[in-house]
PDB file of all heavy atoms in Angstrom:
ATOM      1  N   ARG A 222     -24.151  -1.455  -8.985  1.00 95.00           N
ATOM      2  CA  ARG A 222     -25.171  -1.553 -10.026  1.00 95.00           C
ATOM      3  C   ARG A 222     -24.776  -0.736 -11.254  1.00 95.00           C
ATOM      4  O   ARG A 222     -24.926  -1.198 -12.393  1.00 95.00           O
ATOM      5  CB  ARG A 222     -26.509  -1.042  -9.489  1.00 95.00           C
ATOM      6  CG  ARG A 222     -27.670  -1.238 -10.473  1.00 95.00           C
ATOM      7  CD  ARG A 222     -28.877  -0.410 -10.111  1.00 95.00           C
ATOM      8  NE  ARG A 222     -28.590   1.014 -10.264  1.00 95.00           N
ATOM      9  CZ  ARG A 222     -28.763   1.921  -9.292  1.00 95.00           C
ATOM     10  NH1 ARG A 222     -29.203   1.551  -8.113  1.00 95.00           N
ATOM     11  NH2 ARG A 222     -28.482   3.191  -9.508  1.00 95.00           N
ATOM     12  N   ASP A 223     -24.249   0.477 -11.028  1.00 95.00           N
ATOM     13  CA  ASP A 223     -23.851   1.324 -12.156  1.00 95.00           C
ATOM     14  C   ASP A 223     -22.702   0.693 -12.941  1.00 95.00           C
ATOM     15  O   ASP A 223     -22.707   0.705 -14.180  1.00 95.00           O
ATOM     16  CB  ASP A 223     -23.434   2.708 -11.660  1.00 95.00           C
ATOM     17  CG  ASP A 223     -24.606   3.512 -11.117  1.00 95.00           C
ATOM     18  OD1 ASP A 223     -25.764   3.128 -11.372  1.00 95.00           O
ATOM     19  OD2 ASP A 223     -24.361   4.532 -10.433  1.00 95.00           O
ATOM     20  N   LEU A 224     -21.711   0.154 -12.240  1.00 95.00           N
ATOM     21  CA  LEU A 224     -20.617  -0.520 -12.942  1.00 95.00           C
ATOM     22  C   LEU A 224     -21.126  -1.748 -13.691  1.00 95.00           C
ATOM     23  O   LEU A 224     -20.711  -2.020 -14.821  1.00 95.00           O
ATOM     24  CB  LEU A 224     -19.526  -0.931 -11.948  1.00 95.00           C
ATOM     25  CG  LEU A 224     -18.498   0.111 -11.526  1.00 95.00           C
ATOM     26  CD1 LEU A 224     -17.538  -0.476 -10.497  1.00 95.00           C
ATOM     27  CD2 LEU A 224     -17.728   0.648 -12.723  1.00 95.00           C
ATOM     28  N   GLY A 225     -22.035  -2.483 -13.049  1.00 94.00           N
ATOM     29  CA  GLY A 225     -22.585  -3.673 -13.698  1.00 94.00           C
ATOM     30  C   GLY A 225     -23.396  -3.348 -14.938  1.00 94.00           C
ATOM     31  O   GLY A 225     -23.573  -4.210 -15.809  1.00 94.00           O
ATOM     32  N   GLY A 226     -23.901  -2.114 -15.041  1.00 95.00           N
ATOM     33  CA  GLY A 226     -24.681  -1.719 -16.197  1.00 95.00           C
ATOM     34  C   GLY A 226     -23.858  -1.210 -17.362  1.00 95.00           C
ATOM     35  O   GLY A 226     -24.415  -0.933 -18.435  1.00 95.00           O
ATOM     36  N   LEU A 227     -22.540  -1.078 -17.186  1.00 96.00           N
ATOM     37  CA  LEU A 227     -21.707  -0.618 -18.299  1.00 96.00           C
ATOM     38  C   LEU A 227     -21.701  -1.672 -19.404  1.00 96.00           C
ATOM     39  O   LEU A 227     -21.614  -2.870 -19.134  1.00 96.00           O
ATOM     40  CB  LEU A 227     -20.278  -0.345 -17.813  1.00 96.00           C
ATOM     41  CG  LEU A 227     -20.135   0.796 -16.811  1.00 96.00           C
ATOM     42  CD1 LEU A 227     -18.674   0.954 -16.376  1.00 96.00           C
ATOM     43  CD2 LEU A 227     -20.657   2.113 -17.380  1.00 96.00           C
ATOM     44  N   PRO A 228     -21.793  -1.243 -20.647  1.00 94.00           N
ATOM     45  CA  PRO A 228     -21.993  -2.216 -21.744  1.00 94.00           C
ATOM     46  C   PRO A 228     -20.743  -3.045 -22.022  1.00 94.00           C
ATOM     47  O   PRO A 228     -19.615  -2.537 -21.984  1.00 94.00           O
ATOM     48  CB  PRO A 228     -22.323  -1.322 -22.938  1.00 94.00           C
ATOM     49  CG  PRO A 228     -21.661  -0.017 -22.634  1.00 94.00           C
ATOM     50  CD  PRO A 228     -21.761   0.145 -21.146  1.00 94.00           C
ATOM     51  N   GLU A 229     -20.950  -4.293 -22.300  1.00 91.00           N
ATOM     52  CA  GLU A 229     -19.854  -5.158 -22.710  1.00 91.00           C
ATOM     53  C   GLU A 229     -19.470  -4.855 -24.154  1.00 91.00           C
ATOM     54  O   GLU A 229     -20.216  -4.219 -24.902  1.00 91.00           O
ATOM     55  CB  GLU A 229     -20.260  -6.623 -22.558  1.00 91.00           C
ATOM     56  CG  GLU A 229     -20.560  -7.032 -21.125  1.00 91.00           C
ATOM     57  CD  GLU A 229     -20.936  -8.489 -21.017  1.00 91.00           C
ATOM     58  OE1 GLU A 229     -21.107  -9.138 -22.072  1.00 91.00           O
ATOM     59  OE2 GLU A 229     -21.081  -8.971 -19.879  1.00 91.00           O
ATOM     60  N   ARG A 230     -18.305  -5.316 -24.534  1.00 90.00           N
ATOM     61  CA  ARG A 230     -17.906  -5.200 -25.929  1.00 90.00           C
ATOM     62  C   ARG A 230     -18.833  -6.040 -26.797  1.00 90.00           C
ATOM     63  O   ARG A 230     -19.236  -7.135 -26.409  1.00 90.00           O
ATOM     64  CB  ARG A 230     -16.470  -5.684 -26.105  1.00 90.00           C
ATOM     65  CG  ARG A 230     -15.985  -5.591 -27.545  1.00 90.00           C
ATOM     66  CD  ARG A 230     -14.664  -6.282 -27.715  1.00 90.00           C
ATOM     67  NE  ARG A 230     -14.749  -7.721 -27.487  1.00 90.00           N
ATOM     68  CZ  ARG A 230     -13.804  -8.578 -27.837  1.00 90.00           C
ATOM     69  NH1 ARG A 230     -12.710  -8.147 -28.422  1.00 90.00           N
ATOM     70  NH2 ARG A 230     -13.932  -9.867 -27.589  1.00 90.00           N
ATOM     71  N   ASP A 231     -19.177  -5.488 -27.967  1.00 88.00           N
ATOM     72  CA  ASP A 231     -20.068  -6.184 -28.880  1.00 88.00           C
ATOM     73  C   ASP A 231     -19.361  -6.330 -30.228  1.00 88.00           C
ATOM     74  O   ASP A 231     -19.153  -5.348 -30.939  1.00 88.00           O
ATOM     75  CB  ASP A 231     -21.375  -5.397 -29.040  1.00 88.00           C
ATOM     76  CG  ASP A 231     -22.408  -6.144 -29.873  1.00 88.00           C
ATOM     77  OD1 ASP A 231     -22.057  -7.175 -30.492  1.00 88.00           O
ATOM     78  OD2 ASP A 231     -23.568  -5.698 -29.902  1.00 88.00           O
ATOM     79  N   LEU A 232     -18.998  -7.557 -30.574  1.00 88.00           N
ATOM     80  CA  LEU A 232     -18.258  -7.790 -31.816  1.00 88.00           C
ATOM     81  C   LEU A 232     -19.092  -7.506 -33.050  1.00 88.00           C
ATOM     82  O   LEU A 232     -18.550  -7.316 -34.145  1.00 88.00           O
ATOM     83  CB  LEU A 232     -17.747  -9.232 -31.850  1.00 88.00           C
ATOM     84  CG  LEU A 232     -16.686  -9.593 -30.811  1.00 88.00           C
ATOM     85  CD1 LEU A 232     -16.358 -11.078 -30.880  1.00 88.00           C
ATOM     86  CD2 LEU A 232     -15.427  -8.764 -30.989  1.00 88.00           C
ATOM     87  N   ASP A 233     -20.420  -7.455 -32.883  1.00 85.00           N
ATOM     88  CA  ASP A 233     -21.293  -7.200 -34.021  1.00 85.00           C
ATOM     89  C   ASP A 233     -21.690  -5.730 -34.131  1.00 85.00           C
ATOM     90  O   ASP A 233     -22.469  -5.363 -35.017  1.00 85.00           O
ATOM     91  CB  ASP A 233     -22.560  -8.053 -33.911  1.00 85.00           C
ATOM     92  CG  ASP A 233     -22.257  -9.543 -33.975  1.00 85.00           C
ATOM     93  OD1 ASP A 233     -21.360  -9.922 -34.751  1.00 85.00           O
ATOM     94  OD2 ASP A 233     -22.906 -10.311 -33.249  1.00 85.00           O
ATOM     95  N   ALA A 234     -21.159  -4.892 -33.239  1.00 86.00           N
ATOM     96  CA  ALA A 234     -21.483  -3.470 -33.222  1.00 86.00           C
ATOM     97  C   ALA A 234     -20.210  -2.676 -33.486  1.00 86.00           C
ATOM     98  O   ALA A 234     -19.102  -3.235 -33.556  1.00 86.00           O
ATOM     99  CB  ALA A 234     -22.093  -3.087 -31.877  1.00 86.00           C
TER     100      ALA A 234
END
Side-chain angles (χ1 to χ4, degrees):
R222 186 196 67 234
D223 291 345
L224 278 178
L227 295 179
E229 297 181 352
R230 180 189 65 166
D231 186 350
L232 293 175
D233 296 322

